[in-house]
Amino acid sequence: MYAYDELDRTIVNERVSEFRDQVARRLSGELTEDEFKSLRLMNGVYLQLHAYMLRIAIPYGTLSSKQLRALAHVARKYDRGYGHFTTRQNIQYNWIKLAELPDALADLAKVGIHGMQTSGNCIRNVTSDQWAGVAPGEVEDPRIWAEILRQYSTLHPEFSFLPRKFKFAITASDHDRAAIKVHDIGLRIHRNAAGESGFEVLVGGGLGRTPFIAKTINEFVSHRDILSYVEAILRVYNQYGRRDNIYKARIKILVHELGIEKFKQEVEEEWVQMRDGALALDAAEVEDIRSRFFYPKYEKLSDTPDELKKALQNPNFEAWYKNSVAAHKAPGYGIVTLSLKPVGGPPGDATAEQMDEIADLAEKYSFGEIRVGHEQNLALPHVARRDLPALWRALDKIGVATPNVNLVTDIIACPGLDYCSLANARSIPIAQEITRRFANHDTANLIGRLHVNISGCINACGHHHVGHIGILGVEKNGEEFYQITIGGRADENAVLGHLVGPAVPFDQVADVIEDIVEAYLALRQRPDELFVDAVKRLGVEPFKERVYATR
Amino acid sequence: MPLVKGNTVVADDYVHLADDAELPADGAVLITAERFLADPEAALSRKDKTGVIWPNNRDVDDLLPHLDRLAAVALVFPVFRDGRAYTQARLLRERFKFRGELRAIGQVLRDQFVFMLRAGFDAFEVKKQSDADAFANVAKRYSVFYQPTGDGRITAFHRRLMHLPEGVRS
Ligand code: HEM
Ligand code: SF4
């Protein structure tokens, strides 16, 4: 956990007072909706189908129990008792009244939470691996760097009016849980031949209308130079990124149009002029940020305590344990993922009661810390393995122990037509229907790891391009249709999925998914050949045949 | 259009000169980049102040040979959300050490003042009178800053390392 000090808190409070003034000017009519728009967006406020929507940042996905309780409080007091965790380590509220927004933000500010830079054409909330700091084998805790970037980018005087939004993601593990290759800048912390840790910098990834996998611009940028290096990229982008067409304004288009070689040359020409300036980081600065992170004092515990051995005789516990508990860097501890994907529920939603309860359980079992991942699930990062049975019972009671993490029912979905004014089609009901079809845990388990991602329009908020199975809502003659892609992935081997065939109507989507899964079960070489690997080996054809043979 | 300089609304001694108007012998003028670049000597050899209105899609490097003789550079915000001029401002101030007046023109609204001040602007042609009147208050809305820029303010990073007391303003 990073502990905000008086300086961090001052900025958040000053932001709230600025926004209070802006809302007052809007309510008095001094600002028109049009003028207010870019100001509210800079604080995460959208105007949606039903009401204003508030998006709150959860930087690098780390929350304290106190912060989670504050999120629950806002859900209860200003909204309808729930919040929606998104794919960008944010939470969204859909029903807050404009006049109450400043109060909601002021309540969150007390615990160091805000809506700054969750929207608008600025550097957005910096995201990271939800297992950062606890995953075994990590080079170092990437959140130190996410925090340095958070501070660097917050209210940046040069980069708050970029051509388009700008997203950073950072990881320090071999296995990429932060989807860095589909971000504007992806950072991978690794060691060079001399054993020194530094950054592989990737640029120009992104989804939406024109999806791209990011390209490496520099294999190794040192700790000292990382801020100046990203500033050079941002500066080139701010000057030369297209502003004539919002669909071509993202940095991925600039990188694509110039080519990575030419783009790199521009960046490095800029960089040589500033790398020794005020942004060069010295070890003391990094150490100071590092020292503000609090790490639990782990006990020396057994990996196989009696409590756990005994509980494993219960098949329900065993199923959950196998699915939801991951190895931890400290012996005797585990990382527990809490599924926000109950059968038949909207992916990513949590009620105020659930949030409060999870905050309490985190205090009791996880040193008061909670994580939010881009898969729209939560995690408790430091649970003693002897406590797992008790924790499981408590999680089960509040409905967040569905043992489906990474299985076919662990669906990522955007809000789609149910909430979003840009949508062409519904997403949530599709997700709900698929979870019902695969509700049987044994079936889902037999299928193994399979990521289904759903977006209600081309903007790709549900990351459909990089779903093992991607579902994209499109509109045809006023009706909802869905294009289906397979073979995408968002990890260290990220690729975009391939279209299976013509779009299908709403009521056939779940059938088609079932067909694809059945084809996979028939075609896989071994039970442990993952769906995506089978698609990679076989191509789209056999799946296409299966789906369209009878349609 | 009200002009703010030194935290207050002041009278503007510059005239925006149309491209087809004759260059006057005296009086401060702001002229367009095309006109300026067509004959920099004519503009710079006047005995009064000359400033140039520099578009936001042109490299400020082209101004380098003339900077020490220009009294003012006006950078353009065609719309609120087009932020190219922030980069130009920082380059002019921090890299090229321009010490003349750096003026923000176009869609200049109160919600950008803090960013503009930090990027190095010191004169503001403000769109709305109410925003111009609010300038001094808005400019001190934030007391803590994370990023180092050429405005010389001490960043949060450095305050922490130097153990400066809270609320110290640079
Ligand atoms: C309901 C309100 C929402 C609106 C109006 C909205 C709007 C948009 C738009 C316009 C884009 C395309 C931008 C571009 O790439 O040029 C986009 C992309 C995206 N949004 Fe949303 N969104 C909403 C909700 C969400 C939610 C709930 C999530 C997460 C579940 C999300 C996550 C994302 C992500 C990950 C992208 C992909 C951008 C990329 O990688 O290029 N958004 N959104
Ligand atoms: S993908 Fe489209 S429908 Fe879904 S939330 Fe994003 S903008 Fe809305």
Side-chain angles (χ1 to χ4, degrees), chain B residues 4 16 18 24 30 32 36 41 45 79 85 97 100 102 120 143 158 169:
Chain B
V4 172
H16 282 247
L30 285 168
T32 63
F36 175 75
E41 249 343 281
S45 57
V79 289
K97 311 289 177 218
L102 194 53
S143 62
H158 283 98
R169 278 242 172 72

Side-chain angles (χ1 to χ4, degrees), chain A residues 225-394:
Chain A
D225 291 331
I226 190 63
L227 286 183
S228 59
Y229 199 85
V230 301
E231 179 145 310
I233 295 177
L234 281 153
R235 186 167 271 175
V236 169
Y237 173 55
N238 195 33
Q239 285 176 291
Y240 305 115
R242 288 181 63 167
R243 291 177 190 258
D244 56 325
N245 176 340
I246 89 158
Y247 302 119
K248 296 190 171 174
R250 297 284 295 272
I251 195 173
K252 61 192 176 188
I253 304 293
L254 180 64
V255 172
H256 177 71
E257 285 182 353
L258 287 179
I260 186 70
E261 286 310 319
K262 177 89 178 81
F263 181 76
K264 179 182 167 96
Q265 190 189 331
E266 292 279 341
V267 167
E268 302 212 344
E269 272 169 24
E270 176 62 33
W271 184 43
V272 290
Q273 307 206 50
M274 52 191 270
R275 62 184 290 187
D276 298 324
L279 285 176
L281 278 170
D282 61 35
E285 287 173 293
V286 180
E287 237 1 88
D288 183 65
I289 297 291
R290 201 185 298 277
S291 73
R292 286 163 201 281
F293 274 81
F294 141 93
Y295 291 96
K297 292 201 172 45
Y298 300 114
E299 292 174 68
K300 268 207 147 40
L301 295 175
S302 156
D303 259 340
T304 47
D306 291 341
E307 295 89 335
L308 180 59
K309 276 191 245 164
K310 190 162 156 250
L312 282 170
Q313 288 161 13
N314 172 348
N316 289 334
F317 174 79
E318 195 210 8
W320 173 81
Y321 169 82
K322 274 199 174 144
N323 176 261
S324 313
V325 182
H328 196 283
K329 68 174 188 190
Y333 287 82
I335 307 167
V336 175
T337 300
L338 280 46
S339 168
L340 296 183
K341 317 289 178 64
V343 170
D349 276 11
T351 65
E353 290 68 37
Q354 285 173 325
M355 289 190 245
D356 275 339
E357 184 71 28
I358 291 166
D360 291 350
L361 291 171
E363 239 153 36
K364 199 162 166 190
Y365 296 117
S366 183
F367 297 89
E369 193 173 325
I370 302 101
R371 302 293 181 83
V372 184
H374 84 268
E375 296 86 355
Q376 303 181 282
N377 287 324
L378 302 180
L380 297 181
H382 330 271
V383 181
R385 293 166 67 83
R386 61 159 188 240
D387 294 333
L388 288 169
L391 174 65
W392 170 66
R393 281 189 295 275

Side-chain angles (χ1 to χ4, degrees), chain B residues 134-155:
Chain B
F135 187 91
N137 270 327
V138 174
K140 56 173 197 270
R141 169 152 270 145
Y142 287 94
S143 62
V144 180
F145 302 92
Y146 282 129
Q147 316 76 7
T149 68
D151 68 350
R153 293 184 215 240
I154 299 178
T155 62

Side-chain angles (χ1 to χ4, degrees), chain B residues 28-114:
Chain B
V29 292
L30 285 168
I31 62 175
T32 63
E34 293 81 58
R35 178 167 192 169
F36 175 75
L37 291 174
D39 189 356
E41 249 343 281
L44 293 170
S45 57
R46 301 169 65 249
K47 67 174 187 291
D48 241 320
K49 291 187 283 193
T50 302
V52 59
I53 300 169
W54 199 254
N56 69 1
N57 57 1
R58 184 160 211 158
D59 275 344
V60 286
D61 301 35
D62 298 347
L63 269 176
L64 206 47
H66 315 294
L67 274 183
D68 52 350
R69 294 168 71 198
L70 273 171
V73 176
L75 298 175
V76 191
F77 292 84
V79 289
F80 175 82
R81 60 174 189 281
D82 186 338
R84 281 176 273 194
Y86 292 104
T87 288
Q88 293 177 314
R90 289 194 66 198
L91 290 172
L92 285 171
R93 282 289 194 234
E94 295 169 40
R95 186 166 299 164
F96 303 147
K97 311 289 177 218
F98 176 62
R99 294 285 164 259
E101 175 178 307
L102 194 53
R103 182 182 285 216
I105 67 175
Q107 283 280 342
V108 178
L109 302 170
R110 83 171 78 183
D111 311 283
Q112 301 137 301
F113 292 158
V114 174

